[in-house]
Amino acid sequence: MKTIIATAAVLAAAGPACAGKIALEPLIDARIRYEHAEQDGLPDTADALTLRLRGGVQAGSGAWSALVEGQGTLAAVDDYFDGLRGAATRPLVADPQSIGLYRAQLRYKSKALTLTAGRQRIAIDDERFVGAVGFRDNGQTFDALRVEWTGLPRLKIDAAYAWSVRSIWGIDGRGARQQAVSGDNVFVTIGYATPIGTLAGFAYLVDQDEAAVQGFALSSQTYGARLSGSRALSRAVRLSYVLGYARQSDWHRNPNAYHADYHLADATLDIASFKVDLGYEQLGASHGAALTSFQTPLASGFKFQGWADKFLTTPPDGVRDIHAGAGHGWKKAGAFDLIAIEATWHRFDSDRLGRHYGDELDLLVTARVGRTTLGARYADYRAKRFATDTRKFWLQADWTF
């Protein structure tokens, strides 16, 4: 409510600045998804059929724009544990029913400066540290002030202060799965374009200031650097690469004292309509106690360490993920504008004590026709020394206006 009132006040104050011609743009985003999950150790399977609708309007005049967007998620078939309701004898499908305000923001955008205030999506780089959690129906937004500046050639400064994180658990969130987590979060990235790619330094200060959320143990300070770029090897072949390193330690009210490292190396080779990817990601461990390994509580976690979601919270002994993938795409295939297939294999090991956690195979088929995107995906996690065997299957359709 504080955010709604503050945003309304800012919009009212900005009225004179927006007194010129106002352009209105509707915002409509619809999704239907079926998810099936089987997990060894649980007696029942999960079946979830959810419908998600977002709707709103954006008004713009010159450099100014204002946006308001609501969101609702309905479980048409609710034979699953959503983290808040349902029987925990079934696997978790983190899409609880909800309705509420998704975004309410005011933006000023010029050639060199963008200022965004209010409830907003924030997705930084590949969303490894701060993201919108776009795969989950309710998504993640931030009550924040964000400044993006590109006033010097090849330089970009991106800084945000967020006082509340609106979680994927929706209006009924409670306990360890809060509707929102307050705190003084600061995200700063400074990037510079070099001949070999964009070199960025970053600082992420995460303040999870709710005792019910792991007793403040997810508050951390992370400092690091990232290099991302691509290079044409021939007319039909392009190499893309990402290298990253970060160091994380406890911050604010975190009761633990720890240091943990992060390493990333990833390379993708695009050969005409084919692609091949090979990568290594390490979320390091400290001394083997719970929540003293490298944690990323604000990330779009589904994008990393496999779709079975076994490593959304990094284990006490950390995780090393060696992954390899391949894919192929077809443009203008029959009635479809695009069809793509991809497969990725993961090997998971601990960072500390050298244990083999398990392996995972992920498969994806997507198709796009007009404003509609269709998808089918499958995840198969085979446990060795961490968690249990898990299989998941999804069918999904998204439509955006």
Side-chain angles (χ1 to χ4, degrees):
M1 182 58 67
K2 292 180 180 178
T3 300
I4 298 173
I5 295 173
T7 303
V10 172
L11 291 174
C18 303
K21 184 178 180 181
I22 297 177
L24 297 178
E25 177 185 352
L27 304 171
I28 305 175
D29 178 339
R31 168 188 289 173
I32 181 171
R33 179 165 65 215
Y34 169 71
E35 179 171 345
H36 173 80
E38 303 173 5
Q39 181 175 318
D40 285 8
L42 294 179
D44 301 314
T45 61
D47 289 285
L49 178 63
T50 59
L51 299 92
R52 197 275 308 283
L53 177 64
R54 291 176 183 158
V57 63
Q58 177 172 284
S61 178
W64 292 89
S65 65
L67 179 155
V68 177
E69 185 177 23
Q71 172 181 266
T73 298
L74 172 69
V77 175
D78 61 355
D79 296 330
Y80 67 100
F81 175 53
D82 66 10
L84 305 172
R85 294 176 295 267
T89 58
R90 301 181 186 273
L92 172 67
V93 177
D95 290 324
Q97 293 192 126
S98 182
I99 188 168
L101 179 68
Y102 180 61
R103 289 189 292 168
Q105 68 182 48
L106 174 70
R107 174 170 289 172
Y108 172 83
K109 184 177 179 61
S110 67
K111 183 177 180 180
L113 178 66
T114 301
L115 299 173
T116 308
R119 186 163 300 172
Q120 58 189 279
R121 281 195 297 253
I122 299 179
I124 300 176
D125 291 328
D126 60 356
E127 304 184 60
R128 191 35 168 136
F129 298 99
V130 180
V133 195
F135 183 76
R136 300 271 52 119
D137 282 344
N138 293 321
Q140 176 174 267
T141 56
F142 299 81
D143 294 343
L145 173 65
R146 186 180 187 185
V147 181
E148 299 168 85
W149 184 75
T150 56
L152 292 176
R154 296 185 287 181
L155 179 69
K156 179 178 181 180
I157 298 175
D158 184 343
Y161 166 68
W163 56 91
S164 180
V165 181
R166 315 300 299 189
S167 79
I168 65 172
W169 304 111
I171 59 172
D172 294 325
R174 58 186 180 272
R177 298 181 170 115
Q178 293 277 305
Q179 174 187 3
V181 181
S182 60
D184 297 312
N185 302 277
V186 178
F187 318 131
V188 178
T189 302
I190 301 176
Y192 186 77
T194 75
I196 60 172
T198 299
L199 179 63
F202 55 80
Y204 301 119
L205 308 182
V206 176
D207 181 13
Q208 299 274 277
D209 202 11
E210 301 284 348
V213 182
Q214 302 291 356
F216 311 114
L218 292 176
S219 296
S220 65
Q221 51 185 328
T222 302
Y223 305 93
R226 171 188 172 94
L227 174 68
S228 59
S230 64
R231 182 174 296 273
L233 304 182
S234 71
R235 293 183 61 183
V237 180
R238 175 169 289 272
L239 173 66
S240 302
Y241 45 85
V242 182
L243 298 172
Y245 170 77
R247 178 81 160 171
Q248 184 180 96
S249 60
D250 52 285
W251 190 59
H252 202 57
R253 301 172 69 179
N254 193 325
N256 299 316
Y258 76 98
H259 292 86
D261 294 328
Y262 171 84
H263 297 87
L264 171 67
D266 190 275
T268 301
L269 200 62
D270 288 284
I271 309 170
S273 56
F274 292 88
K275 72 172 183 178
V276 179
D277 177 78
L278 180 64
Y280 171 80
E281 186 177 42
Q282 172 190 339
L283 284 78
S286 180
H287 50 273
L291 301 179
T292 63
S293 50
F294 198 104
Q295 303 293 331
T296 59
L298 303 184
S300 291
F302 184 81
K303 298 175 64 177
F304 305 92
Q305 266 96 58
W307 300 332
D309 283 347
K310 295 301 177 183
F311 300 96
L312 294 180
T313 299
T314 308
D317 290 326
V319 60
R320 297 181 179 181
D321 174 14
I322 298 173
H323 54 271
H328 181 63
W330 296 266
K331 293 183 179 180
K332 296 298 180 182
F336 297 100
D337 300 320
L338 174 70
I339 296 178
I341 60 173
E342 64 179 75
T344 304
W345 171 83
H346 297 263
R347 176 189 168 95
F348 301 112
D349 297 285
S350 65
D351 178 57
R352 183 175 175 270
L353 304 180
R355 290 176 291 124
H356 180 37
Y357 285 150
D359 304 282
E360 181 169 328
L361 176 66
D362 295 328
L363 305 173
L364 173 65
V365 179
T366 57
R368 190 176 70 244
V369 53
R371 298 180 181 273
T372 303
T373 301
L374 307 173
R377 69 177 74 212
Y378 174 74
D380 186 355
Y381 176 76
R382 301 296 177 93
K384 299 297 182 182
R385 296 186 179 181
F386 183 80
T388 58
D389 289 359
T390 300
R391 294 153 298 283
K392 295 186 177 183
F393 173 72
W394 298 263
L395 290 172
Q396 180 172 322
D398 288 275
W399 182 84
T400 302
F401 180 81

